[in-house]
């Protein structure tokens, strides 16, 4: 399967983003959300997709089973002005990391324990931190503007942050080789 966010007409003829699931074997797509303003789909190991849903100026994380799309489970319950971006899941499927800006507008890295639903803040810099992923050792690799130019940084298990790149033109959007 492929999951992606697509702009379409939803309820009340408003144009919003929702999630589609594309079956690569059958070459068919089907909508898995409707009028949820859904973005950033991430597959779990249990045939589920975790995604960000936006309502007014508030984002929250949800989970949906790809075989029972009518049942959606809300994972976070923010009410205030919160923006959630670019979630990524750990190899064991127990932790989700993402970038989040609360009312102060500061974009930092947070983690959601998918067993307990506890959310914890991982970075505390005034600069923008976003696009987190886990490496093979479950360290968090992310893009930060903390030196004025977007570069890659690593947050290890001891909460120590080291700079991985020092490129004058900046670095965005990373993927690790799964091997």
């Amino acid at each position: 399967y492929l999951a992606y966010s697509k702009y379409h007409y939803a309820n009340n003829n408003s144009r919003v983003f929702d999630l589609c699931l594309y079956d690569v074997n059958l070459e068919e797509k089907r909508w898995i959300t409707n009028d949820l303003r859904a973005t950033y789909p991430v597959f779990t190991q249990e045939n589920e997709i975790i995604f960000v849903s936006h309502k007014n100026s508030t984002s929250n994380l949800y989970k949906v089973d790809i075989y029972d799309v009518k049942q959606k489970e809300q994972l976070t319950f923010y009410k205030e002005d919160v923006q959630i971006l670019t979630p990524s899941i750990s190899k064991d499927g127990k932790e989700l990391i993402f970038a989040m800006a609360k009312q102060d507008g500061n974009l930092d890295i947070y983690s959601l324990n998918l067993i307990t639903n506890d959310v914890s803040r991982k970075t505390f810099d005034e600069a923008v931190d976003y696009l987190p992923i886990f490496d093979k050792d479950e360290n968090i690799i992310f893009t930060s503007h903390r030196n004025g130019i977007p570069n890659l940084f690593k947050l290890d298990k001891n909460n120590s942050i080291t700079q991985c790149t020092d490129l004058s033109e900046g670095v965005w959007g990373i993927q690790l080789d799964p091997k």
Side-chain angles (χ1 to χ4, degrees), residues 122-141:
K122 296 297 193 178
T123 63
F124 297 85
D125 200 87
E126 291 180 0
V128 174
D129 295 334
Y130 59 112
L131 296 169
I133 63 170
F134 287 101
D135 70 9
K136 64 179 173 58
D137 298 318
E138 298 296 318
N139 298 306
I140 298 171
I141 309 295

Side-chain angles (χ1 to χ4, degrees), residues 6 8-14 16-20 30-38 51 53 64 69-70 72:
K6 181 171 174 35
H8 75 118
Y9 287 102
N11 299 343
N12 302 321
N13 265 344
S14 58
V16 299
F17 282 101
D18 271 309
L19 299 184
C20 276
R30 61 184 167 102
W31 292 99
I32 58 174
T33 64
N34 181 41
D35 206 24
L36 285 180
R37 292 161 171 78
F51 62 93
S53 178
V64 63
V69 298
K70 292 181 182 181
K72 293 163 188 69

Side-chain angles (χ1 to χ4, degrees), residues 138-149:
E138 298 296 318
N139 298 306
I140 298 171
I141 309 295
F142 62 98
T143 298
S144 180
H145 293 226
R146 59 188 65 210
N147 64 358
I149 298 169

Side-chain angles (χ1 to χ4, degrees), residues 113-172:
N113 181 311
L114 293 169
I115 308 300
T116 65
N117 274 2
D118 291 335
V119 175
S120 63
R121 189 171 175 180
K122 296 297 193 178
T123 63
F124 297 85
D125 200 87
E126 291 180 0
V128 174
D129 295 334
Y130 59 112
L131 296 169
I133 63 170
F134 287 101
D135 70 9
K136 64 179 173 58
D137 298 318
E138 298 296 318
N139 298 306
I140 298 171
I141 309 295
F142 62 98
T143 298
S144 180
H145 293 226
R146 59 188 65 210
N147 64 358
I149 298 169
N151 271 286
L152 299 181
F153 289 79
K154 177 174 78 172
L155 174 66
D156 68 20
K157 302 266 191 227
N158 298 317
N159 293 320
S160 177
I161 296 176
T162 55
Q163 188 168 343
C164 301
T165 62
D166 189 13
L167 301 173
S168 62
E169 61 273 6
V171 178
W172 301 270

Side-chain angles (χ1 to χ4, degrees), residues 13-100:
N13 265 344
S14 58
R15 290 188 48 86
V16 299
F17 282 101
D18 271 309
L19 299 184
C20 276
L21 189 66
Y22 181 76
D23 186 322
V24 294
N25 295 321
L26 298 176
E27 297 182 355
E28 295 175 351
K29 80 167 184 180
R30 61 184 167 102
W31 292 99
I32 58 174
T33 64
N34 181 41
D35 206 24
L36 285 180
R37 292 161 171 78
T39 57
Y40 304 113
V42 176
F43 282 97
T44 72
Q45 297 170 358
E46 290 83 31
N47 294 318
E48 298 167 326
I49 294 175
I50 296 174
F51 62 93
V52 179
S53 178
H54 309 270
K55 183 173 184 179
N56 298 323
S57 61
T58 304
S59 299
N60 276 291
L61 292 163
Y62 286 78
K63 180 170 56 174
V64 63
D65 185 308
I66 64 173
Y67 300 112
D68 183 13
V69 298
K70 292 181 182 181
Q71 300 299 318
K72 293 163 188 69
E73 179 184 351
Q74 189 169 350
L75 302 176
T76 59
F77 297 87
Y78 296 106
K79 304 274 187 225
E80 65 278 359
D81 186 9
V82 169
Q83 296 304 308
I84 297 174
L85 309 169
T86 62
S88 181
I89 197 163
S90 62
K91 283 185 184 181
D92 65 8
K94 294 179 182 175
E95 187 176 6
L96 188 79
I97 52 175
F98 52 93
M100 182 167 65

